[in-house]
Amino acid sequence: MEQQTFLADKIRTQEYFLNMGPQHPATHGVMRMVLKLDGEIIRNIDPVLGYIHRSIEKMCEHDNYKQIIHLTDRLDYLSAHMNNEAVALLVEKASGIEVSDRIKVIRTMMSELTRIASHTLWWGVMGMDTGALTTFMYAFRDRELINDIMEETCGARLTMNYSVIGGVRYDLHENFVKRVKDFIVHFKKKLPEYDRLLSDNVIFRKRTEGIGYITKEEAIAFGLNGPTGRASGFACDIRKLKPYSAYDRVEFQEVMATEGDAFARYKVRILEMWESLRILEQLVDQIPEGEHRVKTKAVIKLPVGEYLQRVETARGDFGVYVISDGGSSPYRLKFRSPGFANLHGLNKMSIGYKIADLIVNFSTIDVVVPDMDR
Amino acid sequence: MMNLTIISEWLSHYIAAEVAFYAELIVIAVIYLSVFALLGLFLVWLERRVAGFFQLRLGPNRVGPMGLFQTLADALKLVSKELTGTSKADKFLYKLAPYFVIITALMAIAVLPFSGELQAFDVNIGLFFISSVSSISVIGIFLAGWASNNKYSLIGGMRTGIQMISYELSVGMVVVTMATLAGTLQLSELVALQKDGWFIFTGHVPAFIAFAIFIIAGTAESNRTPFDLVEAESELGAGYHTEYSGMNFAYYFLAEFVNMFIISAVAVVIFFGGWLSPFGITDNIPYVGVFWFLFKTMAVVFLMMWFRWTFPRLRIDQLLTLEWKYLIPINMVNIVLMALLVWLGLTF
Amino acid sequence: MSYIGDIINGSKTLLTGMSITGNYFFKNLFTRKDVITQLYPDNMNELKMFDRFKGEVIMFHDENNQHKCDACTNCEIICPNGSIEIVWERVADPETGKNKKVLLNHIYHLEMCTMCGLCIEVCPADAIGWGQDFHHVTRDRADLTKVLNKPGSSIMPGVKEKK
Ligand code: SF4
Ligand code: SF4
């Protein structure tokens, strides 16, 4: 019998490369991905970093510990407060500065507000990346309230630079408690709206469910962390593992999912906002009285040694690692950024899927490029 | 029929009758073109304004009353912009492509019945004419994708091919469904037949299903969210028109909106009684039909804008699943259902 | 049957989404209640920033055009990015006859400042602080380099010179 030949077998196809970025609407800043494509199907992803490299780690080696803090705002600018806090906690731990309960509570509340702000922004962008442009504005409406709280108390909306060594820069503004309470009431009404608008939408579900699957073992192997790791069932919340500030005294759940797909990552972040609200609710009525700032020496020197402080930012496990030679600035400083680790998973998540799925995956790992590219 | 022969009659006093005939054609064409340029601009303004309200914004509100002149200003800006392009583009096709899109969009307009009196070209296969003419525009988009020599454009162009050809089928089948009910393809006649009740009511269940399918397929035909994979801002930059600038870009932009208008107008003609007023209140007054026609069309346009500002985008395979696994089978059943209804005389 | 069920459930979720956006649309169309747009240049005068807003670093002057800066250069030293330059000279005090530092120009580079606030914190005399102005748009980078002490200003009497 004559062998049947299909037309498709005769057509010569070829894999090709596509440069996505650095100026591309979906790469959230200046990141470049070299995609190897077969039609629309992704065969390989090569992320190229370096377009926004500012050598912050090297700059930190020349600055003293007080000056370092304001540079960390510029890493993951959506978790600016948590980054500030990490450095402040590290220096306090290393030089034995005890901070009061009030400071701890203020820092925790600010962290959770920042987390909500970051996740709302992410939600808006997630909608935009999947094509629903309206989510972005709704997210910004709610985020604006947090920004107002931040601006009133810290003086800035994004790069707060609020934590300092031995406390926080200013005491809470008198409107703070009222504003936070208003926000909690407002946001509890709006979060279900997020679900009804996007999470339940059949198109959105189809776009995210079963896409970008990554198992728990792979997640651990790639070092995924934060909501991205937890969506695969990897318990990696630093707030639970190594509680800092006031996290040991509040009740909250480490949000976990086991599906490991894009929708699980989406779900974890949405539920995390509810948990953050819960933490805020517990703390807002009982901010202890006391000093907002402990007196410190004018020049802070850390004893010789190595120090590490990890905090849970909105993106995951942020670590500051300092080697001190006893001077007033670190001998070597390294930031372990969550986004960079999460980016490793992207290749695994996206190979074999389509371009549109890559965008969804990229969105669900919630990258902030300056965080990966310091 | 539009009685513009007065132009040629008047002109023939001065010039030869044959010349006057062509002069008349040109006059009508110019009127149509300018009206539609304005309509396109208005639709762009409407879209931006509506989008603004959906998104808790105001939309354009600075230039002119309620920002009405904003799009005019934008158009002026686009006209004055430099025409750029890639150096290795296929120059001829690259320049040709936008005209395919805009001209076919404008051609389809010719047969629309704005009112009983105002219809330029009442061909007896009107619906067929519209669907065939508007399917030519896919060539323009395809050419743009190919000739730009840009991989994003190419992917966008390829997606167009798949999308438009699939959804053309759905639109065609809906037209068949409604033609079964009406028994004609001539637009003026279609409207006249709805004097006693719009088809969406007389055809009840199957007509309603047909409308739902039509609006979905129509949205896909005009490349709007949730079916804007062709442009897919977050994936492909701007898709097939990534490399276009200035007026060439404006053609695509305008064509998208004119296409949206045409789709809505067709929906109005075959489902909502065209220029007929509700309960025939103003049907005897000439030219008032224009108002009703535009009003109904804008309502359908608004529906499509509502889709755009609510839904996420589908993926290419889901787009095809929707078409081939859902719309086509339902459509086929629907045609049979409609035929049965007509046969049994169950229509109102 | 899940085929038809899928269609019905799917359309239901789509309609829920549309009800949300539609709700906002009609509310905004008729009342503009939820509109969050700030009509910026029009509301420039009503727009008030929070007191702590970090717009720029300014030097406080009293009604006699006197400031509190004694040119100790603490702020210049602490600034992480060299945004501050203090120009000073030694002038003999007419009363005591001792040489004293006098501020000539407190030069502030807004274009390099990262709003870290260290200079303000470190200033022993509280001579500088945050200004709430945010209209920094300019066509020339040089406009952003400012001299903080006003022309002709002098130091307030009674500000002690720190070591
Ligand atoms: S705020 Fe910071 S960066 Fe700006 S001038 Fe003062 S010390 Fe320098
Ligand atoms: S720290 Fe204060 S007093 Fe010293 S030079 Fe700066 S502004 Fe003047």
Side-chain angles (χ1 to χ4, degrees), chain A residues 13-14 23 45 79 98 106 159 164 207 230 280 293 307 342 345:
Chain A
T13 60
Q14 191 185 344
Q23 293 102 354
I45 305 170
S79 311
E98 274 295 320
I106 292 177
T159 52
V164 293
R207 284 293 302 278
R230 290 198 281 282
L280 283 176
R293 194 168 181 178
Y307 307 96
N342 285 342

Side-chain angles (χ1 to χ4, degrees), chain B residues 128-176:
Chain B
F128 187 63
F129 177 82
I130 290 184
S131 65
S132 42
V133 161
S134 60
S135 58
I136 297 175
S137 75
V138 66
I139 296 176
I141 297 181
F142 210 64
L143 278 185
W146 176 255
S148 295
N149 192 25
N150 175 326
K151 285 172 195 163
Y152 287 113
S153 304
L154 186 60
I155 297 173
M158 283 313 197
R159 286 181 177 184
T160 321
I162 299 166
Q163 175 179 341
M164 300 272 250
I165 289 165
S166 313
Y167 278 84
E168 201 70 54
L169 211 61
S170 271
V171 173
M173 284 169 102
V174 170
V175 168
V176 171

Side-chain angles (χ1 to χ4, degrees), chain A residues 170, chain C residues 51-53 56-70 103 106 119-121 123-133 147-150 153-156 159:
Chain A
Y170 306 105
Chain C
D51 298 340
R52 291 180 186 173
F53 176 70
E56 57 177 338
V57 175
I58 54 168
M59 184 173 280
F60 303 121
H61 289 73
D62 66 4
E63 56 280 7
N64 305 327
N65 202 13
Q66 287 176 324
H67 57 77
K68 291 195 251 175
C69 174
D70 59 1
L103 178 74
H106 189 297
C119 54
I120 291 166
E121 216 161 81
C123 178
D126 287 337
I128 46 177
W130 290 120
Q132 274 73 44
D133 188 14
V147 177
L148 291 191
N149 52 327
K150 290 187 188 153
S153 61
S154 60
I155 189 163
M156 249 178 237
V159 179

